[in-house]
Amino acid sequence: MFHELMNRIHDRSARVGVIGLGYVGLPLAERAGRVGFSVLGFDVSPERVMHINQGESYIGDVASDALTKLRAAGRLEATTEMARLRECDILVICVPTPLNATREPDMRYVEAASNEIAANIRPGQLVILESTTYPGTTRELIMPRIERDGLRVGDQIFLAFSPERIDPGQTSSKGYSVENTPKVVGGVTMHCTELASAFYGYITSRVVPVSSPDVAELTKLFENIFRAVNIALVNELALLCDRMGINVWEVIEAAATKPYGFMKFTPGPGLGGHCIPIDPFYLTWKARAFDLTTRFIELAGEINAQMPRHVHDLVIRALNRARKPLNGSTIVLLGIAYKPDVDDYRESPAFKVYDLLTADGATVIPCDPHIDEFEMHDGRRMRTVPLTDDLLQSCDCAVIITNHRAFDYERIVTLAPVVVDTRHATRAIQGPLRAKITVL
Ligand SMILES: NC(=O)c1ccc[n+]([C@@H]2O[C@H](COP(=O)([O-])OP(=O)(O)OC[C@H]3O[C@@H](n4cnc5c(N)ncnc54)[C@H](O)[C@@H]3O)[C@@H](O)[C@H]2O)c1
């Protein structure tokens, strides 16, 4: 089984099934198709399946053109029919791993995908989990499900974990995509690692094999915890600098001139996205079973969660200087996405800032050139409005939440009476206009 599958990987005749065609799954499916594999994408959403089969991409980093080419070459198809999992030699799980209402891992999607695989498993298949999760998931949750009817992992079937590291929306600006981001791979056995490494050898420029799925799972969490903790550190510094009357951005820029031993992180209105606010708590949860409290993670969560409140305070202070109360003021919220130049608003700090300002009687108007309509954290559906000169002139304060490149900051500061900048997006604006700006 091992040699047969290895040969099929090397001659690209292995069929690749990607389960979950979102921010992670669709770029992988496209890349696998581009390097010559025949790809069958699985999703529970009939709309997504329909779009892919029509060659229409709904993910910013994947061009519709690329999907159309793969469709024409017969190397890409999407389906909701899970029984077709049997047709694939390699199955890569890319489904969501959110937190539930009590902020514990919500494994429903991984469980559902694993159950579908288990129901269709056959000898000679390699299963790879890419969804971010706690150490132990691959061995404890997936392995017992797929080891059925006498099939053993490492013998007739193969199982590995390989975390995804893509940074949606940043492919064009930072130059990193699926094809040049090193991929960590940890198989349950050596054969599992070798097969998964051989597959990813065609997907990306560098494969980093590790000794187990647990190591690969924890590697991914550690990378994101590293970010969450460092963001918390710099956010705390920003809170202190605010009290001390020191410009935190100047401190950061100066520190960043050190050529070694320092890595630049920047403060902001709070964490957002599907990864950094969520993933660390997968480890916190797992650590409890080992009688350990992950204090750095908890503390980072606490500090980062304060930031929307700090933005609220900055708005009150900025309005106060203009002799206006927050109650009754009109605030333009610039950016709903959680990071620049994307339309992803999952866990965006904009929601919290919106709630805090409206709770105090402000009218808050959301503007985001990348988003027309969005759903708040509590399910409310809202629309953004275009950022017109009239809107900027008639509002009481503009608050920059997301530093989209599409915003014209000179125009914003010129027209709005007061600006709160939580991202240092207005750094280039000098002279008398600066007096209007309150920075985080
Ligand atoms: N988005 C990122 O930047 C990023 C980066 C690295 C890792 N990750 C991790 O990758 C995983 C996927 O994240 P994403 O951002 O691609 O999610 P997503 O929500 O964009 O996509 C998930 C897709 O899975 C589909 N799906 C859900 N249940 C399914 C099932 N049982 N069978 C088939 N399809 C199903 C959904 O319809 C959706 O299309 C998560 O674990 C996430 O933490 C995400």
Side-chain angles (χ1 to χ4, degrees):
M1 287 296 164
F2 169 77
H3 293 293
E4 201 182 312
L5 183 54
M6 190 63 98
N7 289 338
R8 286 170 69 75
I9 290 171
H10 286 312
D11 68 15
R12 249 59 59 77
S13 66
R15 188 149 208 218
V16 177
V18 177
I19 307 162
L21 300 165
Y23 287 98
V24 166
L26 192 57
L28 173 70
E30 190 274 323
R31 176 70 181 153
R34 191 151 35 99
V35 300
F37 290 103
S38 158
V39 179
L40 185 52
F42 296 85
D43 206 289
V44 287
S45 155
E47 291 80 35
R48 292 200 150 184
V49 164
M50 185 193 70
H51 283 302
I52 292 172
N53 287 336
Q54 289 175 350
E56 293 163 6
S57 175
Y58 43 82
I59 297 286
D61 292 330
V62 177
S64 292
D65 258 10
L67 298 186
T68 309
K69 273 191 200 138
L70 290 178
R71 291 285 297 147
R75 289 208 300 278
L76 177 66
E77 188 190 345
T79 182
T80 54
E81 264 180 72
M82 299 297 167
R84 296 189 63 192
L85 289 165
R86 270 188 101 70
E87 294 174 23
C88 304
D89 303 291
I90 300 171
L91 292 167
V92 191
I93 306 173
C94 306
V95 297
T97 43
L99 294 173
N100 64 19
T102 52
R103 298 194 70 73
E104 290 178 345
D106 178 354
M107 301 308 289
R108 269 177 307 165
Y109 305 95
V110 175
E111 282 168 358
S114 320
N115 288 341
E116 294 289 0
I117 292 174
N120 294 286
I121 195 94
R122 60 157 173 82
Q125 283 183 317
L126 164 65
V127 177
I128 304 171
L129 177 63
E130 281 212 6
S131 303
T132 306
T133 184
Y134 59 83
T137 308
T138 307
R139 278 184 307 101
E140 294 162 10
L141 192 146
I142 301 186
M143 195 158 107
R145 284 179 160 80
I146 63 171
E147 278 197 325
R148 48 179 295 181
D149 304 332
L151 297 180
R152 288 288 154 261
V153 165
D155 295 335
Q156 301 86 2
I157 51 172
F158 304 93
L159 177 62
F161 181 83
S162 180
E164 182 48 67
R165 290 166 150 173
I166 54 160
D167 191 2
Q170 310 300 307
T171 301
S172 49
S173 56
K174 294 193 184 145
Y176 288 111
S177 64
V178 180
E179 60 187 87
N180 61 358
T181 307
K183 202 95 168 73
V184 173
V185 175
V188 173
T189 68
M190 277 296 288
H191 276 170
C192 298
T193 307
E194 284 169 24
L195 286 169
S197 299
F199 166 61
Y200 285 117
Y202 289 102
I203 300 294
T204 186
S205 52
R206 185 170 165 222
V207 177
V208 184
V210 293
S211 62
S212 67
D214 306 54
V215 169
E217 286 159 341
L218 188 51
T219 301
K220 171 69 188 179
L221 290 186
F222 178 51
E223 289 167 11
N224 283 356
I225 290 163
F226 176 83
R227 286 185 61 74
V229 168
N230 279 288
I231 292 168
L233 179 64
V234 80
N235 276 339
E236 192 175 61
L237 188 75
L239 296 174
L240 178 65
C241 281
D242 182 55
R243 296 219 184 154
M244 295 176 80
I246 296 172
N247 184 326
V248 70
W249 300 94
E250 201 181 341
V251 175
I252 296 164
E253 291 305 333
T257 59
K258 186 178 177 187
Y260 53 88
F262 182 81
M263 191 176 280
K264 181 176 161 185
F265 284 84
T266 51
L271 294 184
H274 184 51
C275 296
I276 311 293
I278 291 170
D279 301 350
F281 296 99
Y282 268 66
L283 192 61
T284 298
W285 176 82
K286 190 67 178 174
R288 263 185 246 136
F290 291 84
D291 259 346
L292 199 96
T293 308
T294 49
R295 284 179 291 167
F296 262 110
I297 299 175
E298 302 280 3
L299 182 60
E302 245 171 69
I303 294 170
N304 290 330
Q306 280 183 35
M307 296 313 286
R309 216 162 269 284
H310 182 57
V311 176
H312 166 261
D313 291 351
L314 290 177
V315 175
I316 291 177
R317 273 158 44 189
L319 285 169
N320 188 46
R321 276 198 293 279
R323 297 173 186 276
K324 285 181 184 171
L326 177 55
N327 195 344
S329 284
T330 299
I331 314 287
V332 174
L333 213 54
L334 297 172
I336 295 301
Y338 78 90
K339 67 176 175 183
D341 311 326
V342 298
D343 60 2
D344 190 348
Y345 54 80
R346 291 179 291 180
E347 307 280 326
S348 174
F351 301 150
K352 189 81 193 163
V353 173
Y354 179 98
D355 278 349
L356 289 166
L357 295 174
T358 48
D360 279 348
T363 300
V364 182
I365 302 175
C367 297
D368 194 310
H370 298 277
I371 298 168
D372 293 331
E373 206 183 304
F374 59 99
E375 192 178 301
M376 295 273 284
H377 48 112
D378 55 7
R380 267 174 296 165
R381 288 208 74 80
M382 320 251 302
R383 292 194 68 81
T384 60
V385 302
L387 186 60
T388 60
D389 287 359
D390 265 2
L391 181 59
L392 282 167
Q393 279 164 332
S394 63
C395 76
D396 297 294
C397 175
V399 184
I400 300 165
I401 297 290
T402 321
N403 45 334
H404 287 312
R405 277 177 297 179
F407 285 135
D408 177 347
Y409 294 104
E410 180 93 35
R411 168 178 163 247
I412 289 165
V413 180
T414 304
L415 296 179
V418 165
V419 175
V420 172
D421 178 3
T422 70
R423 299 285 189 179
H424 208 209
T426 57
R427 63 171 79 73
I429 296 166
Q430 297 302 332
L433 277 180
R434 275 227 75 82
K436 287 188 178 183
I437 307 169
T438 300
V439 286
L440 181 131

